[in-house]
Amino acid sequence: MQKQQYLIAGCGVSGQAAARLASSLNLSYSILDQKDSPELRHFITQLPHPPEQIFLGWTPDQALPCFSTAVISPGIRTDTALYSILEQHSPVIVPELEFALRFADCPVIAITGTNGKTTTTELTTQLLKGCGFHAQSAGNIGFGLSDAVMNVRQGHIDILVVEVSSFQLEHMKNFHPQAAALLNLASDHLDRHGSMEKYAQIKFSLMSDPETQAVFSRSLDPWRERFFPVGRPCTIFSSDPLDTQADFRLTHDGKILFHDKTVVDFQKLSLKGTHNAENIMAALALIRSLKGDEILFKREIMETLQAFRPDAHRLELFLEKDGIRYVNDSKATNPHAVNAALDAFPEHGRVLLLLGGLDKDMIFEEIQSHAAPVKQAFLFGRCKEKIRNALS
């Protein structure tokens, strides 16, 4: 059998993690990056099993040999010269996540959606840890899955909780998580994916394996009817108190129910906002998919949720002075996330909103129906005029 030769293309967080895993497994691999820096060269010298070839500062006019598999970073778009050349020199192109999972032997939980991925990933991991399992978050959350797989192979981790972006799913061919959640869908990254239709199709591909236990928000019903097989079982969560058909729902008085049994009193938690209640329900649904109904009612569940604090930049109250609350929500990089933040501060006309940055062909008119709390908006960045036209 011909020896498998890997080309790791892109040497950022995920690419470096892939290189560490390839090195630890003594695989035949090479490294390519369009940048060249002393830091990258130092990183390569630290790998115990060095790459066979190194292409730093690569440009399209440089020849490449052929490889069995190209392992690409999420930032490599299909419309680039690099991707086109990789297609010519490798019969198989996989994202770092798929490469890493070839060498993992443990249950995998996967989480995607436009917003809430990181918080739900952290919640799921902490709930599993609180119940005595050795779980680790990885993927788009900022910790390369290849590094997490090394921890699995060393016996330190027995469950992986993977945050998955649309960029990573775009190239995924073989991904078989035991359980997976799609939290929500709203306009984002349309500059890359072209349309909401294509964006939704990519997100739903996470559940393409019929053995994967799927978890969905009720808000996704119109998309689910199009991209998820009719009759295939799934778990539904809903923030609508009247949605008695949902498996998990939030009541008027702030209780999270599973089939009409109280699991969590959301009002007793530091997490606020309906979007965080939905994140919690998704996390609960995922651990139930893996460990059964009984895990939901362990006292460790409520204790873990009461102790949980979200990562920085997510509705982070960093100062309160002279009756003014200063909130850092800079992870809100699309209209859907901005709306979730505004819904958490419903007082009419009391919010000063700093808004702007880059545009990803998003639909800023989506903010209009949530704008009642805004007293004044300060717009900046490349897309400020587009936002002004949408909201003025």
Side-chain angles (χ1 to χ4, degrees):
M1 186 175 180
Q2 188 176 4
K3 188 178 181 182
Q4 178 83 285
Q5 292 191 334
Y6 294 95
L7 174 65
I8 297 171
C11 209
V13 172
S14 63
Q16 290 187 22
R20 282 189 288 267
L21 178 59
S23 177
S24 73
L25 295 170
N26 290 323
L27 301 178
S28 173
Y29 73 102
S30 299
I31 287 176
L32 179 149
D33 199 285
Q34 292 175 290
K35 296 179 181 178
D36 189 356
S37 69
E39 291 78 14
L40 276 181
R41 292 189 175 274
H42 175 73
F43 162 75
I44 292 170
T45 63
Q46 301 303 301
L47 294 168
H49 173 64
E52 295 187 2
Q53 297 180 82
I54 300 169
F55 307 94
L56 294 184
W58 180 86
T59 58
D61 58 349
Q62 290 180 255
L64 282 180
C66 290
F67 296 88
S68 307
T69 300
V71 180
I72 63 171
S73 296
I76 298 176
R77 299 170 60 132
T78 56
D79 58 359
T80 60
L82 173 56
Y83 189 87
S84 177
I85 289 172
L86 291 177
E87 283 186 309
Q88 298 168 29
H89 290 77
S90 175
V92 179
I93 298 176
V94 297
E96 180 261 341
L97 263 67
E98 188 170 331
F99 165 74
L101 289 172
R102 293 180 176 187
F103 307 101
D105 184 18
C106 73
V108 175
I109 292 172
I111 296 156
T112 195
T114 302
N115 295 304
K117 296 186 295 294
T118 298
T119 299
T120 304
T121 300
E122 292 172 339
L123 278 165
T124 305
T125 301
Q126 291 306 313
L127 287 170
L128 287 167
K129 285 182 175 180
C131 293
F133 300 100
H134 299 291
Q136 183 166 8
S137 301
N140 192 62
I141 199 167
F143 186 78
L145 184 58
S146 294
D147 285 331
V149 167
M150 290 173 65
N151 290 335
V152 172
R153 295 179 65 86
Q154 293 163 6
H156 305 313
I157 299 298
D158 50 30
I159 300 174
L160 289 172
V161 185
V162 185
E163 177 184 331
V164 189
S165 72
S166 60
F167 293 0
Q168 292 163 322
L169 282 172
E170 195 174 25
H171 305 289
M172 202 83 75
K173 298 177 181 66
N174 295 292
F175 190 19
H176 311 287
Q178 277 68 25
L182 176 50
L183 305 176
N184 45 60
L185 281 173
S187 66
D188 200 5
H189 303 304
L190 301 188
D191 58 331
R192 175 153 170 168
H193 301 307
S195 68
M196 278 297 297
E197 181 92 5
K198 182 63 176 176
Y199 180 51
Q201 186 179 19
I202 290 170
K203 290 290 195 181
F204 271 87
S205 69
L206 183 62
M207 284 80 171
S208 59
D209 184 347
E211 298 299 315
T212 297
Q213 299 189 59
V215 175
F216 296 108
S217 164
R218 176 66 81 195
S219 66
L220 295 170
D221 276 5
W223 294 110
R224 185 163 58 90
E225 291 167 3
R226 298 169 64 182
F227 295 116
F228 193 73
V230 175
R232 179 177 157 188
C234 61
T235 301
I236 302 295
F237 63 89
S238 175
S239 55
D240 181 357
L242 301 179
D243 188 358
T244 57
Q245 299 302 308
D247 299 282
F248 291 84
R249 65 185 172 96
L250 180 67
T251 66
H252 286 293
D253 59 351
K255 302 292 195 302
I256 290 176
L257 306 184
F258 170 68
H259 292 168
D260 293 328
K261 294 181 181 178
T262 299
V263 180
V264 172
D265 187 346
F266 181 62
Q267 291 182 320
K268 293 184 178 179
L269 308 182
S270 61
L271 287 171
K272 303 301 179 187
T274 302
H275 64 294
N276 275 322
E278 292 178 347
N279 294 338
I280 290 170
M281 288 187 280
L284 292 170
L286 288 167
I287 65 170
R288 170 188 168 263
S289 295
L290 227 61
K291 299 299 178 181
D293 295 0
E294 60 277 3
I295 196 172
L296 298 174
F297 304 100
K298 287 190 168 189
R299 61 175 175 77
E300 291 88 349
I301 294 295
M302 189 65 185
E303 290 173 357
T304 300
L305 289 174
Q306 286 177 322
F308 183 84
R309 299 293 181 273
D311 204 358
H313 319 302
R314 292 170 174 83
L315 281 185
E316 179 186 8
L317 178 64
F318 65 90
L319 177 65
E320 191 161 0
K321 186 175 181 181
D322 299 330
I324 301 171
R325 288 174 287 175
Y326 296 84
V327 179
N328 174 2
D329 196 42
S330 55
K331 283 291 184 179
T333 59
N334 53 63
H336 184 266
V338 173
N339 290 342
L342 293 175
D343 290 348
F345 300 98
E347 301 96 332
H348 187 87
R350 301 292 297 278
V351 171
L352 303 181
L353 180 64
L354 280 66
L355 188 65
L358 300 176
D359 185 17
K360 296 171 280 185
D361 286 347
M362 297 179 291
I363 304 168
F364 291 109
E365 285 82 1
E366 293 174 1
I367 300 174
Q368 288 178 357
S369 59
H370 297 258
V374 180
K375 178 179 181 179
Q376 191 170 358
F378 301 86
L379 308 180
F380 54 92
R382 194 178 300 172
C383 60
K384 62 183 178 183
E385 287 303 315
K386 183 176 178 180
I387 297 175
R388 186 181 67 81
N389 292 334
L391 301 184
S392 58

